[in-house]
Amino acid sequence: MFPQKIRVAAINIPSVFKLNVVGDKIVVDGSDGNLLNCLAEKLNFEYEIVLSPDGQWGSRYENGTWDGIVGLIQSGKADFGMPAMGMTEERNEALDFSLTYSLLEKLFVTKEAGEIPKITAFTYPFTRNAWILYVLMTLAAAILFQRIIFKNATLLGSFISVLGSIVSQAMENIRESPWRRVLLGLWLSIATVMPFLYNINFLSFLTMPEKMAIPRTFEELSTAVLSGKFKCLTPIGTVDRELLRESNINYLVKLVEVIEKNDWEYPFGKGFVDLLDGPTALIMPRRGIDIILGNPPFINVKSSLDNMGIRFVGIGLKKRFCCKEKLNSVMHGILSGGLYEKWYWDQVFISTLYDRMDVQEEEENLKLTLDDLKLAFFTLSFGYFLAFLAFLAETLIPKRFDIFYS
């Protein structure tokens, strides 16, 4: 006979295993809560919820004892452990597991990247290497033209003329010969195409700004954390740190060393998404992303492109539980009928629906504003100021101090 009373060690997680007080009884809801309710109905037992005192699934101490849900089962204070008990070799020494009913694919999530600041937008059309090449090409052209193209021009005068040609200014005092015209035509072609490419890229960026770069893989996350640009948090009372440490992958081992040094961790719950403000990544299962955070476009988080591991999930059972086979038989029927998947996606839909109600419709504004172009106006004003100084210098300084022609 299946026991009529089952004590369930659990953690209260919205949409997964949510505790509701009905009269003098505690009734659970959520995907794993529905699983427990169905088992109780088919196996004719009542359950009593024993909350984990520290809100953890379980971490092992050096003396071999456990805290959290695993500790409650190991000490005999509970018969079951829920929700989503990941099956590991260490936990299997302290308790048994039911039939597997899900998988945990461990990813990390970050807040969706914000727009790159427009204040320095004038540098974005070209990459750093392209800018360096462009500057070197301009300097080389100035030196070359001073020697073979211009008549009696100083190096500064040649540079000013070459720089002016880039912004569509005419070039004067040129030596006439066929091969010099070919060289000059080649340069003028470059000086015409490059500003054109720059202008169209600059305007397209101002209209549709790019996003800031964020880590998308665990290797990129490890690099960002080691450089001090990002934080990475693991859930309280899980084996994620052990998996990272025992992976034998260099960047994952370095990542977990920084996490343990700073003791970065977080509790599960709807409010933990607030931790993502700023350069922060949270390690969590893919199913947790869907069922707790909801689905895009009603959330502004991004999940990683790879994972740090996949684990089976089952109900934790105390050692030598009397009716494990009967429990597995009922669970097999539930899983074969697709009931657990239905409960899971129902909760995903409900979570997304609630998030949808909080979203305010906003019209996307693609117009350029004065704030977007303030740097351009500042640069233009500064250029006019320099031009005025040059005008004063040409007017007031005697010609014998000419710095443009030798």
Side-chain angles (χ1 to χ4, degrees), residues 1 34 59 83 103 175 188 201 229 231 251 267 270 275 296 307 310 361 371 376 391 402:
M1 297 293 294
N34 288 332
S59 302
L103 292 175
R175 297 176 182 176
L188 292 179
N201 278 278
K229 298 178 180 179
K231 294 197 307 182
Y251 60 83
K270 193 70 175 179
L275 299 172
N307 63 70
I310 298 176
E361 295 291 342
D371 187 64
F391 170 74
D402 197 342

Side-chain angles (χ1 to χ4, degrees), residues 196-222:
F196 173 75
L197 296 177
Y198 175 85
N199 290 334
I200 59 176
N201 278 278
F202 179 64
L203 292 176
S204 65
F205 173 82
L206 291 179
T207 306
M208 295 292 292
E210 295 183 2
K211 301 289 185 178
M212 297 179 65
I214 58 174
R216 299 305 311 276
T217 65
F218 273 92
E219 186 172 5
E220 293 177 358
L221 176 63
S222 177

Side-chain angles (χ1 to χ4, degrees), residues 103-122:
L103 292 175
L104 285 183
E105 181 185 2
K106 285 289 186 173
L107 313 169
F108 71 85
V109 294
T110 58
K111 197 168 185 178
E112 190 170 353
E115 295 179 355
I116 298 178
K118 294 181 180 179
I119 190 66
T120 54
F122 68 94

Side-chain angles (χ1 to χ4, degrees), residues 159-280:
F159 175 75
I160 295 298
S161 296
V162 169
L163 194 61
S165 66
I166 297 177
V167 291
S168 303
Q169 296 296 317
M171 301 179 71
E172 300 177 349
N173 195 32
I174 298 174
R175 297 176 182 176
E176 295 287 343
S177 66
W179 68 272
R180 288 190 176 93
R181 291 178 181 175
V182 172
L183 182 61
L184 183 62
L186 179 62
W187 169 252
L188 292 179
S189 300
I190 296 174
T192 302
V193 173
M194 292 299 290
F196 173 75
L197 296 177
Y198 175 85
N199 290 334
I200 59 176
N201 278 278
F202 179 64
L203 292 176
S204 65
F205 173 82
L206 291 179
T207 306
M208 295 292 292
E210 295 183 2
K211 301 289 185 178
M212 297 179 65
I214 58 174
R216 299 305 311 276
T217 65
F218 273 92
E219 186 172 5
E220 293 177 358
L221 176 63
S222 177
T223 302
V225 170
L226 291 174
S227 63
K229 298 178 180 179
F230 249 77
K231 294 197 307 182
C232 180
L233 283 66
T234 58
I236 294 176
T238 62
V239 294
D240 293 342
R241 297 186 182 185
E242 296 177 20
L243 294 177
L244 289 170
R245 192 184 308 108
E246 298 172 359
S247 64
N248 295 324
I249 300 176
N250 186 43
Y251 60 83
L252 292 182
V253 174
K254 291 182 178 179
L255 174 63
V256 74
E257 288 176 354
V258 178
I259 293 174
E260 291 181 333
K261 178 181 178 181
N262 295 276
D263 197 23
W264 287 333
E265 58 184 8
Y266 70 94
F268 261 111
K270 193 70 175 179
F272 74 82
V273 69
D274 296 334
L275 299 172
L276 288 172
D277 289 337
T280 304

